[in-house]
Amino acid sequence: MVSVNNNGNSSSLIQVRGLNKTYHRADEQIQVLQGLNLDVDKGDFVAFMGPSGSGKTTLLNLLGGLDVPTAGAISVASDEITHMSSGKLTEWRARHVGFVFQTYNLIPVLTAFQNVELPLLLTRLSKSERRQHVETALSIVGLGNRTRHFPRQLSGGQEQRVAIARAIVSDPTFLLCDEPTGDLDRKSADEIMALIEELVAKHGKTVLMVTHDPVVAARAHTVLHLEKGVLVEGSKSRQSVTAGGVV
Amino acid sequence: MAIPVIYNFRSVISRWTSAIVAVLGIAGTVGVFVAMLALARGFRATLVSSGSYDNAIVMRAGATSEMMSGISLDNIKVLQDEPGVARTNGDPLVTSEVVVVAPFPLRSTGTDANAQVRGVSPNVLTVRRNIRIVQGRMFRPGLSELIVGRNATNSYSGLSIGNKVRFGGGEWTVVGVFDAGGSAFDSEVWCDAQVLDDVYKRPNNVFQSATVHLSSLDAFQAFKDAVTKDPRLNLDVSREVDYYAKQSQTMTRLISVLGGLVASVMAIGAIFGALNTMYSAVAERSREIAVMRALGFGAIAVVFSFLIEALLISFIGGALGCIAVLPLNGFTTGAMNWQTFSHLAFAFRITPDLLLGGIIFALAMGVMGGLFPAIHAALRPVATTLRSL
């Protein structure tokens, strides 16, 4: 269950309370998030929408421990991350967060296999165990036969699949997807979204996704809109969206 | 765990055009560094190898070189009876020597250069046992005959067997060539000391040094003590190797200091080249660094990774620099020996430890060129970097 009203239960996987984020630019203060509350349960698939500059990516960065809030608290699986040191936060990210970026962000000089293996280098898995995990992750995203390909040898959709494999390979607590279909054509975008849906439905993953695309957002269980720094539950339901757009 | 080295290796290859600037800068610096040290080392080795551990050189007390020394025949006769002097058939193995410099035309330029002419005793080859005649024969006592070192015959025109040369007011015939194993003697011309004294109209029976072959390596101290305590003598005794090592110090230091200065200036340029390469690598790969950090690689892993990359580049540069100067090993060149005012031929001497020093020098440049960009890469805020791309 997803809640934005500070009334979620205490067993929520992700709990955000009174989150504030302010940027300073010269003498100007820009308040991006204002007392934001959010509860996300395990297995939820949440889409965040909102106009450019509304703070969607900022929220994702805060949830992923890439940035620190000005005020407020974020707990993930009972870990309070807002007061962690930079080093602890880095370790926490490695264990709990899988990132999927709009521009895939694969390392161009590494093969698909090596890209997917990267998060596992931070674990204590043996080389053969790592191999097994990487092969499983790549086969889940349908690229079991592309292990030795470099990113430049893959299509955009395939690159994003590798990025998703990299995000899930270490079995993180949740996935953060920042415009995962933003650089893809509609067909590839559909395939990627089908894959993300499968990760949620079949593998029980918790996914938080930022998107501009209402068609993509509609595939999430819950759509939240960021308006003036706070989250507002979307009125649409999954059934109210077709492949052609919002009805 | 560290970021895999394959990432750095392939990154360097994929950005080879920018890496090559740093590689060539470091290669050039290491090349100069190794070449200059090889030059100094060759000069020193040439002089040091002139001496033997089982020989002692005797000069006037206080004299720092043979040119400044003088020993009378009477003193030499006393020396010959001191303990520790080796003998053959009862004859002491002592050579009384006189040195002068004489100009000969260099084969390479045609201009004159001073060669050291050493008047020796006829038994010199039994005192200096590492020297042998390789062409012709030994000079005959009392005659104006010369034997010349192998480098001297190669360096100067006219110093070939059978040739007659004029110097010091006399005419001399070259009758033999000797091999002194690459030591300073190879650049010398030898003749009978008495004849040289006569030709140069020097006081009779006055020499500049005496070299004594010791009965054993351990006999040195006994011989030295006997000479220095003998009230009839006012002489200093040194092991021959120590004397020549000291002779090489000025020139070796000069070459090392000059070489060090040149290499230092070049190193500053090379470090800036490495800095430029690594900063551009960091700038080009901001996204990759941010992604690595997002995945959970720590700041230290990023610093380490970029340092590894800088070290990889500098190692390649260092290895290239070493390989480039390797052909110089054994290449013979010449310089003025300021202790004797004569031309000394010597060879570049590139040894494994010198090459190792070159590689370490390159790696040091790599660390200096890579550390700040690496820290810069690690400290960039991840969220800001991801957002700005």
Side-chain angles (χ1 to χ4, degrees):
Chain A
M1 187 199 80
V2 176
S3 165
V4 296
N5 300 317
N6 194 7
N7 58 2
N9 63 59
S10 59
S11 63
S12 296
L13 180 72
I14 300 169
Q15 290 186 328
V16 179
R17 294 288 177 269
L19 197 66
N20 277 281
K21 182 66 183 177
T22 306
Y23 290 109
H24 298 269
R25 192 177 296 157
D27 294 335
E28 194 185 2
Q29 285 198 346
I30 303 163
Q31 187 149 24
V32 182
L33 302 177
Q34 302 179 41
L36 186 147
N37 297 307
L38 175 68
D39 287 88
V40 177
D41 284 346
K42 187 172 175 1
D44 277 339
F45 179 9
V46 186
F48 298 107
M49 294 192 74
S52 293
S54 61
K56 303 184 298 295
T57 300
T58 298
L59 176 59
L60 226 57
N61 286 340
L62 292 170
L63 292 172
L66 296 176
D67 203 352
V68 287
T70 312
I74 301 170
S75 295
V76 178
S78 302
D79 285 340
E80 160 69 85
I81 67 165
T82 36
H83 296 110
M84 283 183 182
S85 67
S86 172
K88 283 273 178 210
L89 208 50
T90 303
E91 285 175 26
W92 176 84
R93 275 202 306 271
R95 278 205 316 276
H96 293 286
V97 192
F99 288 97
V100 179
F101 303 97
Q102 177 179 350
T103 49
Y104 331 130
N105 284 345
L106 298 178
I107 307 298
V109 296
L110 300 181
T111 62
F113 184 96
Q114 290 164 335
N115 267 288
V116 177
E117 192 187 23
L118 277 176
L120 297 181
L121 296 175
L122 297 160
T123 67
R124 294 184 177 184
L125 294 175
S126 68
K127 194 174 179 184
S128 63
E129 287 170 325
R130 290 204 303 266
R131 170 170 290 278
Q132 201 179 348
H133 279 67
V134 173
E135 285 171 353
T136 303
L138 281 169
S139 67
I140 286 173
V141 300
L143 289 177
N145 57 348
R146 294 282 195 276
T147 56
R148 292 184 178 185
H149 286 61
F150 287 92
R152 65 177 180 278
Q153 296 167 316
L154 300 170
S155 68
Q158 287 173 326
E159 279 196 75
Q160 193 60 296
R161 281 168 184 272
V162 174
I164 291 170
R166 182 178 65 186
I168 62 171
V169 71
S170 56
D171 194 20
T173 308
F174 64 106
L175 300 184
L176 294 177
C177 307
D178 192 357
E179 300 275 11
T181 59
D183 272 17
L184 299 175
D185 57 50
R186 177 56 66 195
K187 183 172 175 294
S188 300
D190 280 343
E191 287 170 2
I192 291 298
M193 287 316 299
L195 178 58
I196 292 174
E197 284 174 325
E198 188 184 319
L199 290 173
V200 175
K202 237 169 111 177
H203 299 277
K205 297 289 172 200
T206 306
V207 177
L208 288 84
M209 174 179 74
V210 159
T211 182
H212 273 107
D213 185 343
V215 176
V216 168
R219 298 177 76 156
H221 299 164
T222 307
V223 179
L224 301 174
H225 291 268
L226 254 172
E227 290 173 10
K228 295 178 182 171
V230 293
L231 282 170
V232 180
E233 266 185 277
S235 55
K236 59 145 269 317
S237 68
R238 184 171 178 169
Q239 288 71 29
S240 67
V241 173
T242 68
V246 182
V247 175
Chain B
M1 193 166 175
I3 295 168
V5 176
I6 188 76
Y7 166 66
N8 305 101
F9 188 71
R10 287 193 186 143
S11 293
V12 170
I13 292 173
S14 72
R15 295 169 37 256
W16 67 271
T17 45
S18 106
I20 210 158
V21 175
V23 166
L24 290 180
I26 290 170
T29 307
V30 168
V32 169
F33 175 76
V34 172
M36 294 302 268
L37 287 185
L39 200 64
R41 198 166 279 205
F43 183 85
R44 186 172 192 280
T46 298
L47 278 176
V48 170
S49 67
S50 304
S52 301
Y53 274 100
D54 51 4
N55 281 355
I57 184 166
V58 184
M59 294 186 299
R60 178 176 57 77
T64 54
S65 74
E66 288 173 284
M67 302 294 275
M68 301 164 71
S69 173
I71 310 179
S72 69
L73 182 60
D74 291 342
N75 280 179
I76 287 172
K77 281 180 177 164
V78 174
L79 277 182
Q80 289 173 340
D81 293 328
E82 297 290 9
V85 177
R87 294 175 181 279
T88 303
N89 302 324
D91 296 328
L93 296 183
V94 177
T95 168
S96 314
E97 303 191 342
V98 181
V99 287
V100 297
V101 290
F104 297 100
L106 286 169
R107 284 185 197 275
S108 55
T109 60
T111 55
D112 282 355
N114 282 340
Q116 181 148 293
V117 180
R118 182 179 292 274
V120 297
S121 299
N123 68 344
V124 65
L125 297 183
T126 59
V127 176
R128 296 206 174 94
R129 297 181 174 199
N130 54 342
I131 296 173
R132 59 198 174 88
I133 302 287
V134 291
Q135 277 180 53
R137 59 173 173 79
M138 182 64 176
F139 63 79
R140 290 196 189 103
L143 296 180
S144 299
E145 292 182 343
L146 301 172
I147 57 173
V148 296
R150 209 173 45 178
N151 282 335
T153 195
N154 290 334
S155 300
Y156 302 102
S157 54
L159 291 182
S160 306
I161 291 181
N163 278 2
K164 290 187 186 301
V165 290
R166 290 190 67 81
F167 66 87
E171 186 178 73
W172 305 76
T173 307
V174 180
V175 297
V177 174
F178 61 86
D179 180 358
S183 69
F185 295 132
D186 268 330
S187 297
E188 293 185 353
V189 176
W190 286 6
C191 60
D192 186 328
Q194 294 286 2
V195 177
L196 192 63
D197 261 351
D198 290 344
V199 168
Y200 273 77
K201 299 185 171 54
R202 297 164 67 105
N204 280 334
N205 299 327
V206 174
F207 302 90
Q208 284 166 288
S209 68
T211 298
V212 175
H213 189 62
L214 300 167
S215 54
S216 72
L217 286 176
D218 300 333
F220 173 76
Q221 198 56 47
F223 173 71
K224 182 177 180 176
D225 289 346
V227 170
T228 51
K229 286 175 184 165
D230 192 322
R232 295 169 294 174
L233 303 174
N234 184 27
L235 302 172
D236 273 345
V237 180
S238 309
R239 265 197 206 274
E240 204 180 20
V241 281
D242 295 338
Y243 169 75
Y244 283 106
K246 204 176 278 181
Q247 292 292 297
S248 71
Q249 273 177 357
T250 306
M251 190 66 171
T252 302
R253 198 171 294 152
L254 182 72
I255 296 172
S256 297
V257 168
L258 284 177
L261 276 175
V262 173
S264 300
V265 171
M266 289 186 73
I268 291 169
I271 288 168
F272 274 103
L275 274 171
N276 187 41
T277 299
M278 292 311 298
Y279 269 122
S280 74
V282 168
E284 283 171 29
R285 280 145 61 195
S286 296
R287 181 192 298 264
E288 294 169 27
I289 296 163
V291 170
M292 295 273 199
R293 298 278 283 122
L295 291 179
F297 287 95
I300 291 173
V302 171
V303 170
F304 191 68
S305 176
F306 275 85
L307 263 186
I308 290 278
E309 193 163 318
L311 289 175
L312 180 67
I313 289 171
S314 58
F315 177 79
I316 294 169
L320 272 181
C322 287
I323 291 168
V325 295
L326 263 185
L328 283 179
N329 190 33
F331 178 78
T332 302
T333 182
M336 173 72 86
N337 179 0
W338 295 103
Q339 303 293 327
T340 61
F341 301 103
S342 61
H343 185 260
L344 177 70
F346 59 98
F348 283 83
R349 196 176 169 90
I350 298 173
T351 53
D353 64 313
L354 206 52
L355 295 176
L356 182 65
I359 295 289
I360 291 171
F361 184 41
L363 295 179
M365 285 188 276
V367 169
M368 285 187 267
L371 186 62
F372 292 111
I375 291 172
H376 177 68
L379 294 184
R380 294 188 76 166
V382 181
T384 313
T385 308
L386 284 172
R387 193 199 307 271
S388 65
L389 297 167

